[in-house]
Amino acid sequence: MLNRRILRIKAFKVIYGYAVRGGMGLNEALYELDKSCEATRDLYLYMLAIVPYLTREAQARIDAAKGKFNPTEEERNPNEKFAKNALSTILENDPDFKKLIQKKKLSWEPYDILVRKVLDSMVRSDYYAEYMSHPETSIKEDCELFKKAFETEFEDLEELHAILEDQSIYWMDDLGYALIWVCKTLDSMAKGRSWRLPELYQSDEIKRQKSTTDLESDNAFVHKLVTCAFTSYESTFNQIIEIVPDWDKDRLFSADMAIIALGVAESKNFPTIPRNVTLNEYIDISKFYCSPKSRQFVNGLLDKLTQPAE
């Protein structure tokens, strides 16, 4: 599930936390890393779990309309295609999915207002109208509908970001990636496959699919990366001060330092990864987490500190 790009970001957040707070031991840093990685898969589960809630809300609206004193013809004979979609039924009856959702206490019940808002937006959409206009029903069509919903309804929804931030500090910035994996799951289920919990690391997912063991572990990669960046943090900091002695060390922001420490650690300790790949990865991360003024400084230092020895 987790590829190396997102693992580098998670490593950055751990080292950044160390840079800001200090007083963190290596074991605590690795523990935070593992919690952060697992949390992304939990977020994937949480987002997929909204499917039955949306379905139940649709059925509740149909039942309420039928129960009116004088319902219209449409209310007496509604189109129940969405309310009876097969995807929701499959997820609600899947013992592994249900067990995980219950074990991790992932519930949308406290957020019924958001569920209703999402359903309202779906019902107004062209993709929903097209889905409802087809009399045939199939798991493929249901999955395609929900895939469009996950692609369009959630990532820019401010209320959702607030909910996720309240529930877990580890879910910040991970929504887009979790939604990608929800859509991958829907693609698989559209082909008639059963739901399956993705492997936590992409290398393990590839090993499972291709039945191979000849692949470097992403788990080992990110643990080694954090360990090397953590243990060499002070020496990397001192190197920077030597290179730019006139630079006020208080101006070396924690985010900048965390990225530099990780870039240097990866360049020195992972010889099979090309230097330009390492630099490009951390330069990209700096675009999101460093200020515009410090970005050039970070890039220049990364380039200088990762130069191969002559």
Side-chain angles (χ1 to χ4, degrees), residues 48 50-59 62 79-93 119 122 128 131-132 136-147 150 186 189:
L48 187 57
I50 201 173
V51 169
Y53 287 88
L54 290 167
T55 304
R56 287 197 290 269
E57 173 61 24
Q59 186 62 59
I62 289 173
N79 184 343
E80 297 185 288
K81 182 176 180 179
F82 177 76
K84 297 186 181 303
N85 74 82
L87 177 62
S88 178
T89 302
I90 289 171
L91 291 175
E92 288 199 283
N93 292 329
L119 183 58
M122 289 176 63
Y128 184 88
Y131 166 84
M132 295 294 280
E136 301 82 8
T137 61
S138 68
I139 181 62
K140 180 180 179 181
E141 198 174 15
D142 295 340
C143 287
E144 288 175 351
L145 171 80
F146 276 105
K147 182 179 177 181
F150 282 113
L186 296 179
M189 295 182 71

Side-chain angles (χ1 to χ4, degrees), residues 127 144-156 179 183 187:
Y127 69 81
E144 288 175 351
L145 171 80
F146 276 105
K147 182 179 177 181
K148 288 175 182 176
F150 282 113
E151 289 173 340
T152 60
E153 305 293 348
F154 294 98
E155 194 160 7
D156 297 325
L179 291 174
C183 291
D187 285 338

Side-chain angles (χ1 to χ4, degrees), residues 4-29:
R4 292 206 172 180
R5 165 61 63 86
I6 196 168
L7 289 175
R8 287 182 174 97
I9 293 173
K10 290 185 176 297
F12 159 74
K13 290 183 178 181
V14 170
I15 299 300
Y16 173 71
Y18 168 69
V20 170
R21 300 195 306 270
M24 178 190 292
L26 177 58
N27 288 339
E28 183 183 353

